[in-house]
Amino acid sequence: MTTTVHVSRDASALAVGAGQVARAIANEAAQRQADVRIVRNGSRGMFWLEPLVEVTTPAGRIAYGPVQAQEVPALFAAGLLAGGAHALRLGKVEDIPYFGKQERLTFARVGRADPLDLDDYRAHDGLRGLHKALDMAPASIVQTVTDSGLRGRGGAAFPAGIKWRTALDAPGAQKYIVCNADEGDSGTFSDRMLMEGDPFVLIEGMVIAGLAVGATQGYIYLRCEYPHAHEVLSVAIATAYAHRILGSDILGSGRRFDLEIRLGAGAYICGEETALLDSLEGKRGQVRAKPPLPASKGLFGRPTIINNVITLASVPVILDRGAEYYRDFGMGRSRGTLPLQLTGNIRHGGLVEKAFGLTLRELLYDYGGGSATGRPIRAVQVGGPLGAYLPESQFDTPIDYEAFAAIRAMLGHGGIVVFDDTVDMAQQARFAMEFCAIESCGKCTPCRIGSTRGVEVIDRIIAGVARAQNQTLLRDLCDTMTHGSLCAMGGLTPYPVLSALEHFPEDFRRPAPAAG
Ligand SMILES: Cc1cc2nc3c(=O)[nH]c(=O)nc-3n(C[C@H](O)[C@H](O)[C@H](O)COP(=O)(O)O)c2cc1C
Ligand code: SF4
């Protein structure tokens, strides 16, 4: 009898030796003449347990981790293939609270199914959304997405249905679907995990988007720093063409959708949708003034939907299970689930997909298990490099777009970076301003010049030079950046800077470092 063993092919698992573990399992099985099939799945998102090995037994998938290659012979000796007892045995994955308590809609298959096996994709409910969409009028697909309450997961949280409606209504023989897979925010990796762990769901979501708005060509704009995602997506796209999920006759319907990958060279600003379009057109990525919105006049001047990976990958389950099913998760105007990413100084880093509404504190302690160093958590930055630094007093804020906006913060792409009490928040404020100075596209003055001056002002505060006057100057400068910048890069950099100043003022009053 063949025993199936899962070892992740996710970059996070490969980085800690999953490739060697898979080879060691194959070697050991060959030596013992054991009939083993190794499946390279996506990660379950519990990074502290990688490399995670899962063995399929009559009692379910039994996990072991973190496994090192040299431990494989001992694991076999302990009866690994039958789920035998061993110090690394974790039991059924679903029984690990970190995983079992999640609500996985978008990531339902990640870690469970073989990412590159289309039959496995089908066996795990894949393509059901597309089949339904093929029987629907474009306007009712758009209406379903609108009714689900899905908002863009790339950062701005704009309602997906409204954007799709604009593109549907825009006249034009050629329209485009662009997937934003630039994933530039610090502490984020959900796009990467999804693309490596379930590429067909993204392809399916993009085909549905094409059917909804009348677009026949799609592009995935992928950052070049994601070689594993590139490899998996390339194979999955070729498979999708071979099985007529892509091409001129989608599942025998006579409808067309083509899809290509374009690699970005790694500029943060190329994640901003209009700079991304410039980059896709072969130009230097610079922000365009809006209007016109890309949905009316986007790539090559044509109506274009730009959505984040997670937004598009959430569409198949909405079409399959219905708008009400999806919108039943969440709170207020934040409907459905958000794949949250826990990183930085945290004991249990990884991916947690939950309905909106749980608090930051629950995430940090119930899931994250507190800081990795065991010291008190002093600050967390939520929403990437443009997100605010939140102090302990704000940890009870629910994960909800409006609740975060009310405390002058943002959820962004759901990345959460944790700092313990050794952090110097004045240095973090400087880092945020310097990031803007380095990554600014240079189009508008408040951002291009303001961020450089901002670093100088913060340096003077840290050095103890006329602190009160320089703090006033810094606030003025932030005000100008907020109101005068063309895009959110310059417009939101004041969030981390001013939140550090507001919540951690003592760090801006430390004795100046000794000269020389
Ligand atoms: C400076 C900057 C960087 C951005 N980077 C990304 C990114 O890496 N990925 C992404 O999906 N959206 C990013 N965005 C948001 C996009 O401009 C856009 O709102 C998004 O792709 C729309 O898709 P959504 O509605 O599905 O979120 C960025 C925005 C700004 C201002
Ligand atoms: S705010 Fe910065 S990144 Fe945005 S358009 Fe202006 S210069 Fe470019």
Side-chain angles (χ1 to χ4, degrees):
M1 199 187 74
T2 307
T3 307
T4 303
V5 178
H6 288 82
V7 184
S8 175
R9 61 179 303 148
D10 187 276
S12 64
L14 295 177
V16 289
Q20 290 91 316
V21 170
R23 276 194 294 280
I25 291 172
N27 289 341
E28 193 65 24
Q31 270 179 30
R32 291 170 179 261
Q33 295 183 325
D35 190 1
V36 168
R37 183 176 75 103
I38 299 175
V39 174
R40 303 304 304 273
N41 55 331
S43 173
R44 298 281 195 160
M46 298 178 283
F47 293 158
W48 74 102
L49 296 177
E50 294 288 1
L52 188 76
V53 173
E54 292 175 47
V55 182
T56 306
T57 74
R61 267 160 75 163
I62 305 296
Y64 296 81
V67 176
Q68 290 305 306
Q70 63 273 19
E71 294 167 315
V72 167
L75 278 163
F76 268 77
L80 171 80
L81 298 184
H86 187 278
L88 296 179
R89 188 181 190 279
L90 300 162
K92 283 204 279 189
V93 181
E94 292 73 19
D95 293 340
I96 301 172
Y98 191 95
F99 188 84
K101 287 192 299 179
Q102 296 189 34
E103 289 148 309
R104 290 201 164 196
L105 303 185
T106 308
F107 276 71
R109 270 174 300 268
V110 176
R112 285 174 65 212
D114 182 341
L116 291 174
D117 182 340
L118 194 55
D119 290 334
D120 213 18
Y121 183 65
R122 280 201 182 90
H124 287 87
D125 299 339
L127 296 181
R128 289 165 52 131
L130 177 55
H131 277 290
K132 288 205 176 141
L134 282 167
D135 288 335
M136 292 164 74
S140 53
I141 303 176
V142 172
Q143 194 58 47
T144 303
V145 172
T146 306
D147 293 344
S148 75
L150 177 68
R151 291 164 74 177
R153 302 293 191 238
F158 189 78
I162 294 179
K163 191 185 281 187
W164 289 26
R165 178 91 240 172
T166 309
L168 172 64
D169 291 344
Q174 179 68 65
K175 300 180 186 178
Y176 297 104
I177 307 296
V178 173
C179 170
N180 189 340
D182 201 49
E183 195 160 56
D185 280 359
S186 42
T188 61
F189 46 81
S190 61
D191 294 351
R192 181 190 58 68
M193 263 186 75
L194 193 286
M195 291 184 286
E196 291 177 10
D198 193 11
F200 291 124
V201 79
L202 175 59
I203 296 170
E204 186 180 349
M206 291 187 73
V207 178
I208 294 171
L211 295 172
V213 305
T216 52
Q217 176 69 49
Y219 293 100
I220 299 174
Y221 186 86
L222 177 70
R223 60 183 303 161
C224 67
E225 296 95 331
Y226 280 176
H228 303 100
H230 187 201
E231 187 189 328
V232 172
L233 277 174
S234 302
V235 176
I237 288 174
T239 307
Y241 268 107
H243 290 82
R244 293 197 300 174
I245 294 161
L246 290 171
S248 57
D249 186 21
I250 303 165
L251 297 176
S253 66
R255 319 271 291 275
R256 168 172 216 115
F257 191 76
D258 289 297
L259 182 58
E260 291 173 43
I261 301 171
R262 290 283 184 274
L263 292 184
Y268 182 69
I269 200 58
C270 286
E272 193 282 332
E273 57 186 12
T274 59
L276 185 155
L277 291 178
D278 267 15
S279 176
L280 261 185
E281 290 178 5
K283 304 170 192 153
R284 169 182 159 202
Q286 258 204 328
V287 174
R288 299 177 183 175
K290 287 189 272 191
L293 295 170
S296 324
K297 207 163 176 274
L299 187 62
F300 303 115
R302 314 284 184 193
T304 303
I305 292 288
I306 306 174
N307 273 134
N308 171 255
V309 171
I310 303 298
T311 316
L312 289 163
S314 300
V315 167
V317 71
I318 292 169
L319 267 290
D320 176 22
R321 311 287 289 264
E324 290 74 31
Y325 173 81
Y326 190 80
R327 72 171 305 132
D328 266 0
F329 294 85
M331 69 173 278
R333 289 180 48 228
S334 305
R335 309 312 312 175
T337 58
L338 183 65
L340 294 143
Q341 302 124 86
L342 273 175
T343 59
N345 192 338
I346 189 86
R347 203 160 145 230
H348 293 157
L351 183 121
V352 177
E353 183 178 351
K354 279 294 280 184
F356 290 92
L358 84 162
T359 66
L360 198 49
R361 192 182 300 280
E362 287 173 90
L363 250 181
L364 295 172
Y365 295 100
D366 298 355
Y367 289 87
S371 74
T373 49
R375 300 181 67 91
I377 296 178
R378 181 159 182 246
V380 293
Q381 188 177 30
V382 184
L386 312 177
Y389 291 106
L390 307 183
E392 212 269 342
S393 60
Q394 293 184 326
F395 288 178
D396 292 313
T397 310
I399 302 293
D400 164 62
Y401 293 118
E402 279 63 45
F404 267 64
I407 58 165
R408 277 174 290 145
M410 63 170 189
L411 279 180
H413 187 45
I416 296 171
V417 182
V418 182
F419 301 85
D420 75 10
D421 61 351
T422 60
V423 67
D424 180 339
M425 294 306 294
Q427 288 296 340
Q428 289 304 124
R430 185 192 191 280
F431 176 75
M433 198 54 110
E434 189 186 29
F435 181 81
C436 183
I438 292 169
E439 296 292 339
S440 168
C441 85
K443 187 145 180 168
C444 63
T445 315
C447 170
R448 185 184 70 246
I449 308 287
S451 55
T452 299
R453 294 289 92 86
V455 174
E456 293 164 2
V457 175
I458 297 174
D459 276 344
R460 286 203 291 273
I461 296 170
I462 292 172
V465 178
R467 278 185 163 155
Q469 292 91 324
N470 276 308
Q471 285 202 14
T472 306
L473 191 57
L474 183 61
R475 288 180 199 280
D476 268 7
L477 181 63
C478 283
D479 194 52
T480 305
M481 288 175 72
T482 301
H483 296 106
S485 296
L486 184 57
C487 84
M489 176 85 212
L492 292 180
T493 291
Y495 265 27
V497 174
L498 293 179
S499 60
L501 198 56
E502 183 181 335
H503 302 304
F504 309 94
E506 61 277 18
D507 287 17
F508 294 80
R509 293 195 290 258
R510 291 182 183 201

